[in-house]
Amino acid sequence: MRWPGEVPELGWSRGGDRRVSVLAYGVGLGFRAVGERHCVGARGNVCPLGAVVPGRSTGGRCAECARLDRAHSVAADTMADDPRTYRVYLAWFGPGMVKVGITGEERGAARLREQGAVAFSWLGRGPLMAARRTEEVLRAALGVPDRIPYAKKRAVRGQLPGPEERAGAVAELYARAAALEGRGWPESLERMPLEVVDQVGVFGLDRAPDADADPAPGRSVREGGTAPGRSVRESAPAPVRAVQELVDGGVVAGRLVAAAGPDLHLAVADGGVVVLDTRLITGWDLTSVTRAAEVTEATGSDVRVPLIDIGGGGVQGGLF
């Protein structure tokens, strides 16, 4: 899954043919996994071994291809002479979850959408090594991690605070970072002004699952009773289950209600929301499900793969 703009896209390949599906909230999505999961290769090259990879791997690559892919990434620090301009960003994913990172300026905010950053601000721009040095200084001085597990991000998406609190958290981090200018901050990095970008709307997290359909029996669209500073439908109800892995013959289908980073939030038949990490589907052969018409009409859904509770709960065994 990619975020070239403010709408998520799924990339597909069949032999040498490649195509893209633009996703839309409120539309049915469903597929069945077939056979075994194979390595997707690296840097546009097919895996020479055609290796089978574990169903729970989010990388979707064998060890050799994963090593090759990382060797040419910015994170590997093997591109010191890269002439492009890079930006340092401050990202907020939920209460107590912030990080500092860098991305190529030409990519815009794509990296922030790929990571599922709920809100962010740019901090500075400059050469790669200046951006990398600033990133390291800020991590050490501010005590922020270099990465946040996706499981933690998923656990808080249904209980996000209001926009004022989100913006305030980013502004507070920005002030702490800006105070370090001149104290290990490379002179070649130009500081950028604070401008908080909130992506709740982009991700569809401000939409109730039934925003595009009549409420199911016994359920209603949330209204009233909101906390101060929090608008109605500030965030969609929290998903409580996530796909753990695909299996041969396993089905995932539902109505797309939100997306953040690599995750798709699917409203399913029992009235709940299941999260599908699209990194788990790379390398699988997929086919349409027999109930595709129902899924498209958002009147039915089906999930028949192993699920796990979000938030550290027990694994739900079997196929669902």
Side-chain angles (χ1 to χ4, degrees):
M1 191 163 99
R2 299 179 179 86
W3 287 89
E6 295 189 348
V7 178
E9 298 178 353
L10 280 178
W12 309 83
S13 66
R14 175 181 291 176
D17 297 331
R18 296 179 182 274
R19 64 184 179 85
V20 171
S21 296
V22 178
L23 303 180
Y25 302 136
V27 174
L29 176 68
F31 60 81
R32 185 189 307 277
V34 179
E36 294 180 311
R37 186 187 188 194
H38 292 88
C39 173
V40 296
R43 300 286 160 177
N45 299 305
V46 176
C47 174
L49 303 177
V52 174
V53 294
R56 299 184 187 181
S57 167
T58 55
R61 293 184 173 90
C62 67
E64 289 301 317
C65 288
R67 190 176 300 112
L68 175 62
D69 188 68
R70 181 171 176 79
H72 294 278
S73 71
V74 173
D77 283 335
T78 58
M79 305 166 63
D81 58 347
D82 191 330
R84 295 174 295 176
T85 298
Y86 282 79
R87 289 193 178 191
V88 181
Y89 61 80
L90 307 173
W92 184 90
F93 298 88
M97 290 188 286
V98 295
K99 66 162 289 187
V100 177
I102 70 172
T103 185
E105 186 169 67
E106 76 280 0
R107 296 201 68 207
R111 180 62 177 157
L112 283 304
R113 293 188 288 268
E114 291 168 356
Q115 292 187 5
V118 175
F120 73 92
S121 176
W122 301 115
L123 177 66
R125 61 187 299 275
L128 171 60
M129 298 315 292
R132 178 66 76 199
R133 172 61 180 166
T134 303
E135 179 187 37
E136 293 173 353
V137 167
L138 295 179
R139 283 176 182 168
L142 304 180
V144 296
D146 59 350
R147 64 185 61 193
I148 298 174
Y150 280 104
K152 290 187 176 181
K153 301 175 188 178
R154 294 181 190 119
V156 300
R157 284 190 197 138
Q159 300 89 24
L160 295 175
E164 296 85 0
E165 187 173 337
R166 298 195 295 264
V170 176
E172 189 271 339
L173 181 62
Y174 179 93
R176 293 172 59 201
L180 297 172
E181 193 169 8
R183 298 160 54 191
W185 183 308
E187 293 183 0
S188 56
L189 191 89
E190 171 193 353
R191 181 151 67 94
M192 299 176 67
L194 171 67
E195 185 176 349
V196 180
V197 178
D198 195 294
Q199 303 196 116
V200 162
V202 171
F203 293 153
L205 297 175
D206 56 347
R207 299 157 46 85
D210 45 7
D212 298 293
D214 293 333
R219 299 176 65 241
S220 61
V221 175
R222 287 189 297 166
E223 54 185 8
T226 56
R230 183 167 181 156
S231 62
V232 175
R233 295 183 184 176
E234 182 55 48
S235 59
V240 296
R241 295 171 294 172
V243 173
Q244 186 178 36
E245 64 178 317
L246 300 188
V247 294
D248 181 25
V251 172
V252 176
R255 183 163 47 82
L256 182 64
V257 294
D263 294 345
L264 300 180
H265 292 212
L266 300 171
V268 296
D270 63 5
V273 175
V274 170
V275 173
L276 169 65
D277 183 339
T278 55
R279 295 176 300 172
L280 295 175
I281 71 176
T282 58
W284 279 99
D285 286 334
L286 305 179
T287 185
S288 60
V289 295
T290 56
R291 296 173 61 195
E294 290 185 53
V295 172
T296 302
E297 295 170 4
T299 59
S301 57
D302 205 359
V303 180
R304 295 180 182 174
V305 293
L307 302 177
I308 187 171
D309 292 339
I310 292 177
V315 174
Q316 300 182 19
L319 300 182
F320 293 79

